[in-house]
mmCIF file with all atom_site columns, all heavy atoms in Angstrom:
data_model
loop_
_atom_site.group_PDB
_atom_site.id
_atom_site.type_symbol
_atom_site.label_atom_id
_atom_site.label_alt_id
_atom_site.label_comp_id
_atom_site.label_asym_id
_atom_site.label_entity_id
_atom_site.label_seq_id
_atom_site.pdbx_PDB_ins_code
_atom_site.Cartn_x
_atom_site.Cartn_y
_atom_site.Cartn_z
_atom_site.occupancy
_atom_site.B_iso_or_equiv
_atom_site.pdbx_formal_charge
_atom_site.auth_seq_id
_atom_site.auth_comp_id
_atom_site.auth_asym_id
_atom_site.auth_atom_id
_atom_site.pdbx_PDB_model_num
ATOM 1   N N   . ALA A 1 72 ? -24.076 55.258 16.846 1.00 0.00 ? 93  ALA A N   1
ATOM 2   C CA  . ALA A 1 72 ? -25.141 55.154 15.850 1.00 0.00 ? 93  ALA A CA  1
ATOM 3   C C   . ALA A 1 72 ? -26.520 55.269 16.490 1.00 0.00 ? 93  ALA A C   1
ATOM 4   O O   . ALA A 1 72 ? -27.487 55.565 15.801 1.00 0.00 ? 93  ALA A O   1
ATOM 5   C CB  . ALA A 1 72 ? -25.026 53.839 15.096 1.00 0.00 ? 93  ALA A CB  1
ATOM 6   N N   . LEU A 1 73 ? -26.622 55.015 17.776 1.00 0.00 ? 94  LEU A N   1
ATOM 7   C CA  . LEU A 1 73 ? -27.882 55.148 18.513 1.00 0.00 ? 94  LEU A CA  1
ATOM 8   C C   . LEU A 1 73 ? -27.689 56.122 19.659 1.00 0.00 ? 94  LEU A C   1
ATOM 9   O O   . LEU A 1 73 ? -26.586 56.325 20.134 1.00 0.00 ? 94  LEU A O   1
ATOM 10  C CB  . LEU A 1 73 ? -28.331 53.784 19.066 1.00 0.00 ? 94  LEU A CB  1
ATOM 11  C CG  . LEU A 1 73 ? -28.728 52.730 18.051 1.00 0.00 ? 94  LEU A CG  1
ATOM 12  C CD1 . LEU A 1 73 ? -29.009 51.407 18.750 1.00 0.00 ? 94  LEU A CD1 1
ATOM 13  C CD2 . LEU A 1 73 ? -29.940 53.160 17.258 1.00 0.00 ? 94  LEU A CD2 1
ATOM 14  N N   . GLU A 1 74 ? -28.770 56.685 20.090 1.00 0.00 ? 95  GLU A N   1
ATOM 15  C CA  . GLU A 1 74 ? -28.724 57.592 21.230 1.00 0.00 ? 95  GLU A CA  1
ATOM 16  C C   . GLU A 1 74 ? -29.647 57.069 22.307 1.00 0.00 ? 95  GLU A C   1
ATOM 17  O O   . GLU A 1 74 ? -30.825 56.842 22.015 1.00 0.00 ? 95  GLU A O   1
ATOM 18  C CB  . GLU A 1 74 ? -29.146 59.000 20.788 1.00 0.00 ? 95  GLU A CB  1
ATOM 19  C CG  . GLU A 1 74 ? -28.771 60.093 21.744 1.00 0.00 ? 95  GLU A CG  1
ATOM 20  C CD  . GLU A 1 74 ? -27.280 60.152 22.050 1.00 0.00 ? 95  GLU A CD  1
ATOM 21  O OE1 . GLU A 1 74 ? -26.447 60.062 21.136 1.00 0.00 ? 95  GLU A OE1 1
ATOM 22  O OE2 . GLU A 1 74 ? -26.966 60.286 23.233 1.00 0.00 ? 95  GLU A OE2 1
ATOM 23  N N   . PRO A 1 75 ? -29.272 56.811 23.494 1.00 0.00 ? 96  PRO A N   1
ATOM 24  C CA  . PRO A 1 75 ? -27.914 56.909 24.021 1.00 0.00 ? 96  PRO A CA  1
ATOM 25  C C   . PRO A 1 75 ? -27.026 55.816 23.426 1.00 0.00 ? 96  PRO A C   1
ATOM 26  O O   . PRO A 1 75 ? -27.503 54.753 23.041 1.00 0.00 ? 96  PRO A O   1
ATOM 27  C CB  . PRO A 1 75 ? -28.088 56.697 25.521 1.00 0.00 ? 96  PRO A CB  1
ATOM 28  C CG  . PRO A 1 75 ? -29.318 55.885 25.658 1.00 0.00 ? 96  PRO A CG  1
ATOM 29  C CD  . PRO A 1 75 ? -30.203 56.288 24.505 1.00 0.00 ? 96  PRO A CD  1
ATOM 30  N N   . ARG A 1 76 ? -25.752 56.074 23.377 1.00 0.00 ? 97  ARG A N   1
ATOM 31  C CA  . ARG A 1 76 ? -24.837 55.177 22.681 1.00 0.00 ? 97  ARG A CA  1
ATOM 32  C C   . ARG A 1 76 ? -24.719 53.814 23.336 1.00 0.00 ? 97  ARG A C   1
ATOM 33  O O   . ARG A 1 76 ? -24.367 52.838 22.690 1.00 0.00 ? 97  ARG A O   1
ATOM 34  C CB  . ARG A 1 76 ? -23.487 55.835 22.479 1.00 0.00 ? 97  ARG A CB  1
ATOM 35  C CG  . ARG A 1 76 ? -22.738 56.165 23.737 1.00 0.00 ? 97  ARG A CG  1
ATOM 36  C CD  . ARG A 1 76 ? -21.502 56.972 23.461 1.00 0.00 ? 97  ARG A CD  1
ATOM 37  N NE  . ARG A 1 76 ? -20.513 56.159 22.763 1.00 0.00 ? 97  ARG A NE  1
ATOM 38  C CZ  . ARG A 1 76 ? -19.231 56.467 22.697 1.00 0.00 ? 97  ARG A CZ  1
ATOM 39  N NH1 . ARG A 1 76 ? -18.788 57.558 23.256 1.00 0.00 ? 97  ARG A NH1 1
ATOM 40  N NH2 . ARG A 1 76 ? -18.394 55.694 22.065 1.00 0.00 ? 97  ARG A NH2 1
ATOM 41  N N   . GLU A 1 77 ? -25.041 53.705 24.627 1.00 0.00 ? 98  GLU A N   1
ATOM 42  C CA  . GLU A 1 77 ? -24.993 52.414 25.318 1.00 0.00 ? 98  GLU A CA  1
ATOM 43  C C   . GLU A 1 77 ? -26.033 51.436 24.763 1.00 0.00 ? 98  GLU A C   1
ATOM 44  O O   . GLU A 1 77 ? -25.962 50.235 25.011 1.00 0.00 ? 98  GLU A O   1
ATOM 45  C CB  . GLU A 1 77 ? -25.217 52.585 26.821 1.00 0.00 ? 98  GLU A CB  1
ATOM 46  C CG  . GLU A 1 77 ? -24.055 53.233 27.543 1.00 0.00 ? 98  GLU A CG  1
ATOM 47  C CD  . GLU A 1 77 ? -23.985 54.747 27.353 1.00 0.00 ? 98  GLU A CD  1
ATOM 48  O OE1 . GLU A 1 77 ? -24.996 55.353 26.923 1.00 0.00 ? 98  GLU A OE1 1
ATOM 49  O OE2 . GLU A 1 77 ? -22.921 55.323 27.624 1.00 0.00 ? 98  GLU A OE2 1
ATOM 50  N N   . LEU A 1 78 ? -26.991 51.952 24.033 1.00 0.00 ? 99  LEU A N   1
ATOM 51  C CA  . LEU A 1 78 ? -28.008 51.105 23.423 1.00 0.00 ? 99  LEU A CA  1
ATOM 52  C C   . LEU A 1 78 ? -27.382 50.098 22.443 1.00 0.00 ? 99  LEU A C   1
ATOM 53  O O   . LEU A 1 78 ? -27.896 48.993 22.268 1.00 0.00 ? 99  LEU A O   1
ATOM 54  C CB  . LEU A 1 78 ? -29.051 51.976 22.709 1.00 0.00 ? 99  LEU A CB  1
ATOM 55  C CG  . LEU A 1 78 ? -30.430 51.403 22.505 1.00 0.00 ? 99  LEU A CG  1
ATOM 56  C CD1 . LEU A 1 78 ? -31.008 50.883 23.805 1.00 0.00 ? 99  LEU A CD1 1
ATOM 57  C CD2 . LEU A 1 78 ? -31.347 52.455 21.918 1.00 0.00 ? 99  LEU A CD2 1
ATOM 58  N N   . GLY A 1 79 ? -26.255 50.460 21.838 1.00 0.00 ? 100 GLY A N   1
ATOM 59  C CA  . GLY A 1 79 ? -25.531 49.540 20.965 1.00 0.00 ? 100 GLY A CA  1
ATOM 60  C C   . GLY A 1 79 ? -25.031 48.328 21.726 1.00 0.00 ? 100 GLY A C   1
ATOM 61  O O   . GLY A 1 79 ? -25.094 47.196 21.244 1.00 0.00 ? 100 GLY A O   1
ATOM 62  N N   . LEU A 1 80 ? -24.541 48.557 22.939 1.00 0.00 ? 101 LEU A N   1
ATOM 63  C CA  . LEU A 1 80 ? -24.090 47.450 23.772 1.00 0.00 ? 101 LEU A CA  1
ATOM 64  C C   . LEU A 1 80 ? -25.253 46.561 24.186 1.00 0.00 ? 101 LEU A C   1
ATOM 65  O O   . LEU A 1 80 ? -25.139 45.336 24.217 1.00 0.00 ? 101 LEU A O   1
ATOM 66  C CB  . LEU A 1 80 ? -23.358 47.977 25.004 1.00 0.00 ? 101 LEU A CB  1
ATOM 67  C CG  . LEU A 1 80 ? -22.073 48.761 24.747 1.00 0.00 ? 101 LEU A CG  1
ATOM 68  C CD1 . LEU A 1 80 ? -21.508 49.305 26.057 1.00 0.00 ? 101 LEU A CD1 1
ATOM 69  C CD2 . LEU A 1 80 ? -21.058 47.906 24.033 1.00 0.00 ? 101 LEU A CD2 1
ATOM 70  N N   . VAL A 1 81 ? -26.385 47.194 24.491 1.00 0.00 ? 102 VAL A N   1
ATOM 71  C CA  . VAL A 1 81 ? -27.575 46.433 24.865 1.00 0.00 ? 102 VAL A CA  1
ATOM 72  C C   . VAL A 1 81 ? -28.055 45.596 23.686 1.00 0.00 ? 102 VAL A C   1
ATOM 73  O O   . VAL A 1 81 ? -28.427 44.422 23.843 1.00 0.00 ? 102 VAL A O   1
ATOM 74  C CB  . VAL A 1 81 ? -28.682 47.383 25.378 1.00 0.00 ? 102 VAL A CB  1
ATOM 75  C CG1 . VAL A 1 81 ? -29.985 46.637 25.583 1.00 0.00 ? 102 VAL A CG1 1
ATOM 76  C CG2 . VAL A 1 81 ? -28.244 48.079 26.651 1.00 0.00 ? 102 VAL A CG2 1
ATOM 77  N N   . LEU A 1 82 ? -28.043 46.189 22.499 1.00 0.00 ? 103 LEU A N   1
ATOM 78  C CA  . LEU A 1 82 ? -28.463 45.480 21.296 1.00 0.00 ? 103 LEU A CA  1
ATOM 79  C C   . LEU A 1 82 ? -27.565 44.276 21.030 1.00 0.00 ? 103 LEU A C   1
ATOM 80  O O   . LEU A 1 82 ? -28.049 43.152 20.820 1.00 0.00 ? 103 LEU A O   1
ATOM 81  C CB  . LEU A 1 82 ? -28.466 46.424 20.088 1.00 0.00 ? 103 LEU A CB  1
ATOM 82  C CG  . LEU A 1 82 ? -28.864 45.824 18.756 1.00 0.00 ? 103 LEU A CG  1
ATOM 83  C CD1 . LEU A 1 82 ? -30.339 45.472 18.772 1.00 0.00 ? 103 LEU A CD1 1
ATOM 84  C CD2 . LEU A 1 82 ? -28.565 46.796 17.638 1.00 0.00 ? 103 LEU A CD2 1
ATOM 85  N N   . GLY A 1 83 ? -26.261 44.490 21.042 1.00 0.00 ? 104 GLY A N   1
ATOM 86  C CA  . GLY A 1 83 ? -25.318 43.396 20.820 1.00 0.00 ? 104 GLY A CA  1
ATOM 87  C C   . GLY A 1 83 ? -25.419 42.334 21.914 1.00 0.00 ? 104 GLY A C   1
ATOM 88  O O   . GLY A 1 83 ? -25.390 41.131 21.634 1.00 0.00 ? 104 GLY A O   1
ATOM 89  N N   . GLY A 1 84 ? -25.544 42.773 23.159 1.00 0.00 ? 105 GLY A N   1
ATOM 90  C CA  . GLY A 1 84 ? -25.679 41.831 24.268 1.00 0.00 ? 105 GLY A CA  1
ATOM 91  C C   . GLY A 1 84 ? -26.973 41.040 24.197 1.00 0.00 ? 105 GLY A C   1
ATOM 92  O O   . GLY A 1 84 ? -26.996 39.833 24.463 1.00 0.00 ? 105 GLY A O   1
ATOM 93  N N   . GLY A 1 85 ? -28.075 41.703 23.824 1.00 0.00 ? 106 GLY A N   1
ATOM 94  C CA  . GLY A 1 85 ? -29.357 41.011 23.696 1.00 0.00 ? 106 GLY A CA  1
ATOM 95  C C   . GLY A 1 85 ? -29.329 39.957 22.607 1.00 0.00 ? 106 GLY A C   1
ATOM 96  O O   . GLY A 1 85 ? -29.838 38.840 22.784 1.00 0.00 ? 106 GLY A O   1
ATOM 97  N N   . LEU A 1 86 ? -28.715 40.303 21.481 1.00 0.00 ? 107 LEU A N   1
ATOM 98  C CA  . LEU A 1 86 ? -28.587 39.331 20.395 1.00 0.00 ? 107 LEU A CA  1
ATOM 99  C C   . LEU A 1 86 ? -27.673 38.178 20.812 1.00 0.00 ? 107 LEU A C   1
ATOM 100 O O   . LEU A 1 86 ? -27.921 37.021 20.467 1.00 0.00 ? 107 LEU A O   1
ATOM 101 C CB  . LEU A 1 86 ? -28.045 40.030 19.146 1.00 0.00 ? 107 LEU A CB  1
ATOM 102 C CG  . LEU A 1 86 ? -28.539 39.581 17.792 1.00 0.00 ? 107 LEU A CG  1
ATOM 103 C CD1 . LEU A 1 86 ? -30.047 39.466 17.742 1.00 0.00 ? 107 LEU A CD1 1
ATOM 104 C CD2 . LEU A 1 86 ? -28.062 40.525 16.718 1.00 0.00 ? 107 LEU A CD2 1
ATOM 105 N N   . GLY A 1 87 ? -26.631 38.500 21.579 1.00 0.00 ? 108 GLY A N   1
ATOM 106 C CA  . GLY A 1 87 ? -25.739 37.463 22.098 1.00 0.00 ? 108 GLY A CA  1
ATOM 107 C C   . GLY A 1 87 ? -26.463 36.511 23.041 1.00 0.00 ? 108 GLY A C   1
ATOM 108 O O   . GLY A 1 87 ? -26.266 35.292 22.984 1.00 0.00 ? 108 GLY A O   1
ATOM 109 N N   . VAL A 1 88 ? -27.322 37.057 23.894 1.00 0.00 ? 109 VAL A N   1
ATOM 110 C CA  . VAL A 1 88 ? -28.107 36.215 24.804 1.00 0.00 ? 109 VAL A CA  1
ATOM 111 C C   . VAL A 1 88 ? -29.062 35.324 24.012 1.00 0.00 ? 109 VAL A C   1
ATOM 112 O O   . VAL A 1 88 ? -29.241 34.138 24.339 1.00 0.00 ? 109 VAL A O   1
ATOM 113 C CB  . VAL A 1 88 ? -28.868 37.084 25.833 1.00 0.00 ? 109 VAL A CB  1
ATOM 114 C CG1 . VAL A 1 88 ? -29.904 36.282 26.582 1.00 0.00 ? 109 VAL A CG1 1
ATOM 115 C CG2 . VAL A 1 88 ? -27.886 37.741 26.799 1.00 0.00 ? 109 VAL A CG2 1
ATOM 116 N N   . ALA A 1 89 ? -29.651 35.866 22.957 1.00 0.00 ? 110 ALA A N   1
ATOM 117 C CA  . ALA A 1 89 ? -30.543 35.053 22.111 1.00 0.00 ? 110 ALA A CA  1
ATOM 118 C C   . ALA A 1 89 ? -29.770 33.898 21.474 1.00 0.00 ? 110 ALA A C   1
ATOM 119 O O   . ALA A 1 89 ? -30.286 32.769 21.393 1.00 0.00 ? 110 ALA A O   1
ATOM 120 C CB  . ALA A 1 89 ? -31.184 35.919 21.037 1.00 0.00 ? 110 ALA A CB  1
ATOM 121 N N   . ILE A 1 90 ? -28.530 34.148 21.050 1.00 0.00 ? 111 ILE A N   1
ATOM 122 C CA  . ILE A 1 90 ? -27.715 33.082 20.475 1.00 0.00 ? 111 ILE A CA  1
ATOM 123 C C   . ILE A 1 90 ? -27.388 32.037 21.535 1.00 0.00 ? 111 ILE A C   1
ATOM 124 O O   . ILE A 1 90 ? -27.447 30.827 21.269 1.00 0.00 ? 111 ILE A O   1
ATOM 125 C CB  . ILE A 1 90 ? -26.434 33.657 19.837 1.00 0.00 ? 111 ILE A CB  1
ATOM 126 C CG1 . ILE A 1 90 ? -26.794 34.432 18.570 1.00 0.00 ? 111 ILE A CG1 1
ATOM 127 C CG2 . ILE A 1 90 ? -25.437 32.551 19.516 1.00 0.00 ? 111 ILE A CG2 1
ATOM 128 C CD1 . ILE A 1 90 ? -25.639 35.161 17.933 1.00 0.00 ? 111 ILE A CD1 1
#
Side-chain angles (χ1 to χ4, degrees):
L94 294 174
E95 197 57 45
R97 64 188 291 198
E98 289 78 16
L99 204 52
L101 297 176
V102 172
L103 179 69
L107 215 48
V109 168
I111 290 174

